[in-house]
Amino acid sequence: MQGKILKGIAGFYYVHVAESGVYECKAKGVFRQQKIKPLVGDIVDIAVIDEEEKTGNVEKILPRKNELFRPAVANIDMALLIFAAANPQPNLNLLDRFLIFMQMQQIPVTICFNKMELLEPKKREELAQIYKGCGCPVLFTSAKEQEGIEQLRLALHAKTVAASGPSGVGKSTLTNLLQPKALMETGELSRKICRGKQTTRHTQLVHIEGTTYLMDTPGFGSLFLPGMEKEDLGQYYTEFAQYEPQCRYKRCSHISEPDCGVKQAVERGSVHPVRYENYRQLYMELAERKKY
C-alpha cells in the first residue's frame, strides 16, 4: 500500500493513503541503520498491521523529487509565500529572502497577500507592482471575508505545496478554509499522540483534495540565506537580467559602479525601487558576512 507522509513525530509517521485514510506507522529499523529519516512529503510503501486501528510499518521510501532542510520536507511542487497585506505591514525584505531561498532550491513560488480587505484596490495594485517582474504569480486573499479562496485553490491544484511566511498572517486560517476538516484532523492526530490542541510547531501536510496537499510550516521572523555569495545574489532578481547587458562592467554588482544598466532601470521605474533596495540591503549583508 502506498501513501504520503503527512506528519512525523516521536518516531511515528502518519501516512495518508488515497481512499483508505491515515495510518499511524513506525519506520523499519533498516532506515536507522542506513541513517535515512523519513520526511514529511515522502511517498512511501507501508505494510498494514491492523486495518481497524489504522496502524502499519513504513517499508520503503520512494526516490525524492527534492528535499528541503528548513523545514525538513520532501517532494515539494510549489512554495506558497503568505504575507499579510497589512496589519502587520508586510516585511518585503523578508519576503525576498523566502523567495530567494526557494529559488535556490529550484522550487516554483506563488506569492499570496492575505488580509486584502485592509487595503484599498489602488494599494493592492501598488503592492502587486513591486513583484510584477519577479517571475512569480501574486495572489490576494481575505480569510476574513473568504475572498480569493477559489483562485488560491486553483493555484494549488494537484500539487504538494509548502506554505511559508511569518507568524500571524493567516496560514492556518487559509488552510482551514481550503479544507474545513483540517482542524478536526489536526485535533484527532493531537489526541492520538497525547499533545492536545496545538499551534503549528511541527511541519505537517494537510490533504486538501485529490492529489492536492498543503504544508503549513512553522512561522519564521527572519531567514538566513545559507551558502549564498554576494556575487550570486543578482541572478535571483530576475527583473535585473534584461538590463544587465547595459552595464559598463561585465561583473557589475549594481551597487556602486558607474553606468549601471540596472540602476538606470530603477531610476526610470522599469525595476521597482523596493525590490532594488531589498537587493542592495541583502548584498551589503552578504558582503559584511564575508568579512567575518
Side-chain angles (χ1 to χ4, degrees):
M1 192 177 283
Q2 195 171 100
K4 186 186 285 278
I5 296 178
L6 301 182
K7 186 173 184 174
I9 187 167
F12 288 93
Y13 298 92
Y14 297 87
V15 180
H16 178 260
V17 177
E19 310 302 329
S20 297
V22 177
Y23 292 78
E24 182 181 75
C25 300
K26 293 283 285 184
K28 289 180 68 174
V30 67
F31 296 124
R32 285 191 299 275
Q33 294 167 17
Q34 297 174 352
K35 296 184 179 179
I36 298 172
K37 183 179 180 181
L39 297 178
V40 171
D42 269 334
I43 300 170
V44 296
D45 288 337
I46 68 169
V48 177
I49 296 173
D50 188 320
E51 181 60 47
E52 188 175 339
E53 291 294 321
K54 287 285 194 289
T55 59
N57 285 324
V58 175
E59 299 280 309
K60 180 182 178 182
I61 300 171
L62 275 65
R64 291 166 179 161
K65 172 181 176 179
N66 54 38
E67 181 178 341
L68 293 180
F69 294 99
R70 185 184 179 188
V73 295
N75 301 314
I76 298 302
D77 298 310
M78 186 179 88
L80 180 69
L81 303 186
I82 304 177
F83 279 68
N87 193 27
Q89 286 294 114
N91 181 337
L92 300 185
N93 184 283
L94 180 59
L95 196 162
D96 277 21
R97 291 170 189 262
F98 274 106
L99 187 56
I100 293 165
F101 179 73
M102 292 303 175
Q103 288 174 321
M104 288 173 72
Q105 316 300 317
Q106 298 183 317
I107 294 174
V109 173
T110 292
I111 298 169
C112 175
F113 289 110
N114 192 33
K115 304 186 184 182
M116 63 182 279
E117 77 279 359
L118 299 178
L119 285 187
E120 295 294 326
K122 183 180 178 183
K123 291 292 185 182
R124 290 180 211 159
E125 180 57 29
E126 289 174 1
L127 191 53
Q129 283 296 320
I130 296 173
Y131 288 92
K132 184 178 179 180
C134 78
C136 302
V138 178
L139 303 177
F140 284 86
T141 60
S142 171
K144 181 180 179 181
E145 304 293 336
Q146 298 191 22
E147 293 182 36
I149 306 303
E150 289 311 308
Q151 291 92 325
L152 179 57
R153 187 185 300 276
L154 188 62
L156 306 182
H157 180 68
K159 298 181 180 74
T160 296
V161 180
S164 298
S167 301
V169 299
K171 295 194 301 296
S172 296
T173 306
L174 286 172
T175 300
N176 290 320
L177 285 172
L178 291 163
Q179 174 49 279
K181 294 181 181 178
L183 266 179
M184 182 180 70
E185 290 175 355
T186 299
E188 286 175 355
L189 283 183
S190 297
R191 283 191 293 276
K192 202 165 190 179
I193 58 178
C194 304
R195 282 184 175 269
K197 190 176 179 181
Q198 62 187 51
T199 55
T200 314
R201 291 177 298 176
H202 304 280
T203 300
Q204 71 178 67
L205 276 179
V206 173
H207 179 233
I208 303 298
E209 58 191 0
T211 55
T212 304
Y213 295 85
L214 181 62
M215 184 179 300
D216 188 0
T217 61
F220 297 118
S222 61
L223 188 65
F224 180 74
L225 294 176
M228 169 71 74
E229 299 291 336
K230 66 182 189 301
E231 292 82 7
D232 297 329
L233 181 63
Q235 68 181 292
Y236 297 103
Y237 282 79
T238 56
E239 57 266 70
F240 289 6
Q242 61 182 305
Y243 305 110
E244 287 176 335
Q246 299 163 25
C247 294
R248 181 195 292 185
Y249 301 105
K250 189 173 181 180
R251 294 287 291 172
C252 185
S253 68
H254 320 308
I255 299 294
S256 58
E257 297 90 339
D259 301 326
C260 170
V262 171
K263 287 194 293 182
Q264 291 168 358
V266 174
E267 291 170 5
R268 294 194 305 269
S270 302
V271 169
H272 202 284
V274 170
R275 281 280 283 172
Y276 175 75
E277 179 57 23
N278 287 344
Y279 165 81
R280 191 191 66 79
Q281 289 178 16
L282 289 172
Y283 185 94
M284 300 310 292
E285 179 183 308
L286 291 170
E288 282 297 312
R289 185 192 303 167
K290 192 76 172 181
K291 289 180 182 178
Y292 301 100

